[in-house]
Amino acid sequence: MKRRSLLKLFSMGGLAAGMMSSGRLLAAPSDYRGRFLVTIQADGAWDVSSFCDPKTNVAGEPDINNWAHLRDPDSAGNINYAAFADNRYFFEKYHRYMMVINGIDYQTNAHAVGILHNWSGRNSQGFPSLPALYCAVEAPNLPMSYLSFGGWGQTDNLVHTTVVSDVSPLANILKPNVGQWDPDNNVRLPEANAIILKAQQARLKRLAGEEGILPRQQYNIASQRAALAGAESLEAFADILPGPNQWEQPVTIGDHYTSTRQQAQVAVLGFRSGAAASADLHMGGFDTHSSHDADHEPLMAALTDAVDYLWDYAEENGVADRMTVILGSDFARTPFYNSYEGKDHWSIGSLIVMEKNATWGNRVIGLTDEAQNAYRINPSTLKRDDKNGTIIYPKHVHKALRRYLGVSNFADQAGYQFANTEDFDFFNPRKSTS
């Protein structure tokens, strides 16, 4: 951990001091009962005008969407969506779960900046991702608290990240004492393992009781205690992993390889076992500068299919009631086609937040005009307000999400506050732009 981040944690008065003195800093209880936070990152910039902010063509202007020549936008509950890909199935099934935030200005057309801005709330380096903040507050104690599958997930060293790039070695990593090629042949006898574990615990207890140990040493001791305490949940994770032929298989869509359904499997089983509390799922390929419709349509269908699978698999494994899911992208695509029948980068985009039985579900916040330019929104009423409103930026979304997830105080005390930023009451179910 960097010295700056370490000092942040240890400067938080009662929080860090209380956890340290009680021996609970990074301990790994098996009874975690908090929420599970999932971000789904559609890398490359998705086309929201063909998804959750549908646009029809305007007479005398370049076509925005080819599908709009044949069909009008449709709606599920209070949410409008484009007649494109498999949107009908997705929105009909999940509109009650979701809040759509349209008209977010990412202030950039550069992928790296857009990704950073969307997932941290700031368009320059230095802020951690929302799941990192969440895990630092709610689940610093879990052995694989923050799962990542290749997307953006800066932690600023608040928590560790477990990167899963291949599921095949997972069982061996989670159960290191089990022989890789012969599960019935343990590397050590269980009796020997118990003796070693007892000696390790006694040594850590002795070290923790010594006088004059430095904060870095305290942190290292707590981390080692966490690793030992988390062994039970890691074994539980290993015990429920699918067999070699039971994993969801990655698929190829055009030139792009995606394993998002498999990522969802790992995340849900990590939640169920008590080993993990958050996950960044990832799917690329959305940078469709040519042949936009032909490439984007199957990609969007695969994305919504993966989200559908995530919810269904979470339901099957008993964790759906505790999940918060956030769908987003770098920014959006132009409301017109280029000379290659593609769409280029557009800074005004959307984000979707989902929960089962959400009191704030079935709502749309934010507005854009027929050419996908953002209107000003009043932070208090959430209505269009050209005089007293403000454009919605990622910092507004993150500020509201932090408050909703209960991590605002921690983030502010750690130096990640959004100064001079309006408060949007996105999660008030009584407010809507519709």
Side-chain angles (χ1 to χ4, degrees):
M1 174 174 277
K2 292 185 296 188
R3 177 177 175 81
R4 179 171 64 88
S5 297
L6 184 69
L7 292 175
K8 281 179 187 176
L9 287 176
F10 281 96
S11 68
M12 291 181 193
L15 175 65
M19 293 167 72
M20 180 63 74
S21 63
S22 67
R24 295 288 288 177
L25 179 63
L26 297 179
S30 59
D31 59 347
Y32 175 71
R33 292 293 180 268
R35 297 201 64 79
F36 303 115
L37 179 62
V38 182
T39 67
I40 302 178
Q41 304 181 15
D43 273 10
W46 59 3
D47 181 10
V48 297
S49 73
S50 292
F51 190 44
C52 59
D53 191 10
K55 300 300 176 187
T56 56
N57 299 321
V58 178
E61 298 292 335
D63 285 350
I64 296 176
N65 289 302
N66 288 327
W67 59 261
H69 288 295
L70 304 173
R71 298 177 294 276
D72 292 326
D74 210 336
S75 63
N78 297 320
I79 299 174
N80 293 332
Y81 63 87
F84 186 78
D86 290 337
N87 289 347
R88 178 185 292 274
Y89 174 82
F90 180 68
F91 284 94
E92 286 290 344
K93 184 173 181 179
Y94 291 109
H95 66 275
R96 292 182 181 85
Y97 285 47
M98 67 174 64
M99 172 170 56
V100 177
I101 305 176
N102 289 326
I104 302 171
D105 188 351
Y106 294 95
Q107 300 178 288
T108 185
N109 286 328
H111 289 296
V113 179
I115 291 168
L116 178 69
H117 205 179
N118 190 55
W119 298 114
S120 74
R122 194 170 80 159
N123 59 6
S124 58
Q125 293 284 350
F127 275 22
S129 69
L130 185 65
L133 284 172
Y134 182 75
C135 288
V137 175
E138 297 293 335
N141 38 15
L142 301 187
M144 300 177 77
S145 183
Y146 188 1
L147 295 169
S148 175
F149 298 89
W152 189 88
Q154 175 64 43
T155 68
D156 203 30
N157 289 320
L158 292 177
V159 292
H160 63 272
T161 307
T162 301
V163 179
V164 182
S165 56
D166 184 0
V167 297
S168 56
L170 260 181
N172 301 116
I173 294 171
L174 295 172
K175 278 189 171 182
N177 192 49
V178 175
Q180 183 172 1
W181 307 113
D182 182 4
D184 296 324
N185 181 21
N186 290 334
V187 175
R188 298 190 189 97
L189 292 174
E191 296 81 359
N193 233 29
I195 293 171
I196 294 170
L197 177 62
K198 185 176 180 180
Q200 289 173 325
Q201 291 171 332
R203 176 177 176 273
L204 291 172
K205 183 177 181 180
R206 175 178 56 79
L207 290 173
E210 291 182 354
E211 293 185 4
I213 60 174
L214 299 174
R216 181 59 184 252
Q217 293 173 305
Q218 290 179 312
Y219 179 84
N220 289 339
I221 292 167
S223 296
Q224 292 178 57
R225 278 181 159 176
L228 296 179
E232 183 178 342
S233 59
L234 292 179
E235 289 197 3
F237 194 178
D239 288 340
I240 60 176
L241 290 178
N245 299 320
Q246 297 175 312
W247 286 105
E248 290 291 318
Q249 294 304 303
V251 296
T252 299
I253 303 171
D255 296 330
H256 301 284
Y257 169 92
T258 177
S259 61
T260 317
R261 284 172 65 110
Q262 189 178 91
Q263 296 170 29
Q265 271 187 295
V266 177
V268 167
L269 295 177
F271 299 159
R272 173 183 160 187
S273 68
S278 71
D280 288 333
L281 277 55
H282 174 265
M283 182 176 172
F286 291 91
D287 199 18
T288 46
H289 288 283
S290 62
S291 305
H292 171 78
D293 289 4
D295 291 341
H296 219 85
E297 185 165 14
L299 285 165
M300 288 302 302
L303 178 67
T304 55
D305 172 74
V307 179
D308 181 38
Y309 176 82
L310 170 67
W311 281 109
D312 283 350
Y313 198 63
E315 193 72 50
E316 180 183 329
N317 283 276
V319 298
D321 289 345
R322 297 165 59 193
M323 272 198 335
T324 300
V325 178
I326 304 171
L327 285 71
S329 190
D330 318 11
F331 29 76
R333 309 213 71 79
T334 50
F336 50 83
Y337 295 86
N338 60 29
S339 58
Y340 300 99
E341 285 301 308
K343 290 189 176 185
D344 301 318
H345 300 171
W346 193 256
S347 63
I348 307 300
S350 304
L351 184 137
I352 296 176
V353 186
M354 301 178 72
E355 272 186 18
K356 184 180 177 183
N357 301 320
T359 58
W360 40 260
N362 191 23
R363 294 162 66 238
V364 178
I365 307 298
L367 293 167
T368 59
D369 65 16
E370 64 275 4
Q372 207 174 312
N373 298 298
Y375 284 117
R376 292 178 175 272
I377 302 298
N378 187 297
S380 298
T381 66
L382 302 185
K383 305 287 186 181
R384 176 182 169 182
D385 187 340
D386 297 337
K387 181 179 180 181
N388 298 312
T390 180
I391 298 296
I392 299 174
Y393 298 107
K395 64 181 180 180
H396 295 120
V397 178
H398 276 259
K399 188 172 184 178
L401 281 165
R402 286 178 179 184
R403 183 169 55 246
Y404 179 69
L405 293 169
V407 301
S408 291
N409 289 341
F410 178 94
D412 290 350
Q413 292 176 42
Y416 305 121
Q417 67 270 24
F418 296 112
N420 303 315
T421 298
E422 300 86 353
D423 277 310
F424 277 81
D425 198 5
F426 291 125
F427 293 94
N428 187 331
R430 296 185 299 276
K431 296 182 179 180
S432 174
T433 57
S434 59

